[in-house]
């Protein structure tokens, strides 16, 4: 009887301890929760979905790890290997990670898609941050806010008053689908759009033509969408806040 009483008394305390431990873990940042919520394509290719690496002191690749000849200033060449993750490549530097994703057109969750590929790694961030691909013009003839999507280069450039403000990577329609070309206007904005056609979330959506949107989506180092223009997380948030209904979208 004494043994049974001790066990019964222990159970409520065990439940309470378990409950408290669930809430004692380090909370995720708002960005981490949102990325975790939406980056749900190809689970087998993902790494550390919480974005909270316990390798806070990770420094990433250094100049001795990469080939620095015939590369843009501030970068080095590196061949992706199986098992490489974002902390090995970029360390704990978020800004470095964003530059890496943009120049290589791949998000941190899908590095497995580019194993064996030669990629650009930011080494000197002061130089790397100022890099602009040769294919992007510094000015255009359009006035107002304009975003130009280059399907061949898989990149966008954002202009205001004809002046380049920022640029980044995109992923347009994969084989069998079409991202329409032409000049369009933003028809409406919706932060948390649900696609009834594909049964998926399309966060930070800006609709510009029928069922085609600019929105946060996966980037795998090449085309991957069903017609929309996928953007990296930071680009999607920035463009969503910056562009307004009626602003110009040029897709070529």
């Amino acid at each position: 009887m004494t043994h049974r009483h001790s066990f019964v008394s222990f159970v409520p305390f065990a439940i309470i301890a378990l409950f408290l431990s669930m809430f004692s873990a380090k909370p995720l940042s708002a960005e981490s929760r949102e990325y975790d919520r939406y980056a749900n394509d190809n689970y087998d290719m993902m790494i550390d979905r919480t974005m909270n690496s316990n390798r806070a002191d990770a420094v990433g690749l250094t100049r001795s790890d990469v080939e620095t000849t015939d590369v843009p200033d501030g970068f080095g060449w590196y061949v992706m290997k199986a098992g490489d993750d974002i902390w090995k490549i970029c360390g704990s530097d978020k800004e470095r990670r964003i530059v890496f994703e943009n120049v290589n057109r791949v998000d941190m969750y899908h590095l497995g898609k580019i194993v064996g590929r030669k990629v650009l790694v930011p080494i000197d961030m002061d130089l790397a941050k100022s890099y602009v691909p040769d294919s992007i013009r510094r000015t255009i003839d359009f006035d107002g806010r304009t975003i130009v999507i280059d399907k061949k280069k898989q990149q966008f450039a954002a202009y205001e008053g004809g002046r380049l403000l920022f640029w980044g990577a995109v992923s347009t329609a994969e084989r069998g689908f079409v991202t329409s070309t032409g000049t369009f206007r933003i028809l409406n904005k919706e932060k948390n759009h649900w696609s009834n056609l594909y049964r998926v979330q399309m966060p930070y959506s800006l609709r510009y033509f029928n069922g085609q949107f600019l929105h946060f989506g996966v980037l795998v180092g090449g085309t991957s969408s069903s017609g929309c223009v996928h953007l990296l997380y930071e680009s999607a948030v920035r463009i969503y806040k910056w562009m307004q209904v009626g602003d110009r979208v040029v897709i070529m």
Side-chain angles (χ1 to χ4, degrees), residues 20-39:
L20 291 176
S21 69
M22 292 171 62
F23 290 91
S24 62
K26 181 180 178 181
L28 300 180
S29 67
E31 177 184 296
S32 297
R33 289 196 301 271
E34 188 160 51
Y35 211 144
D36 181 72
R37 176 184 175 190
Y38 293 130

Side-chain angles (χ1 to χ4, degrees), residues 167-179:
W167 68 277
V170 302
S171 182
T172 56
E174 64 182 344
R175 187 184 299 271
F177 296 90
V178 176
T179 297

Side-chain angles (χ1 to χ4, degrees), residues 48-75:
D48 196 348
R49 297 182 67 242
T50 65
M51 293 182 68
N52 285 327
S53 171
N54 56 13
R55 289 166 285 175
D57 58 346
V59 296
L61 298 178
T62 64
R63 191 172 297 274
S64 62
D65 300 313
V66 298
E67 172 59 54
T68 55
T69 58
D70 191 30
V71 292
D73 291 342
F75 292 90

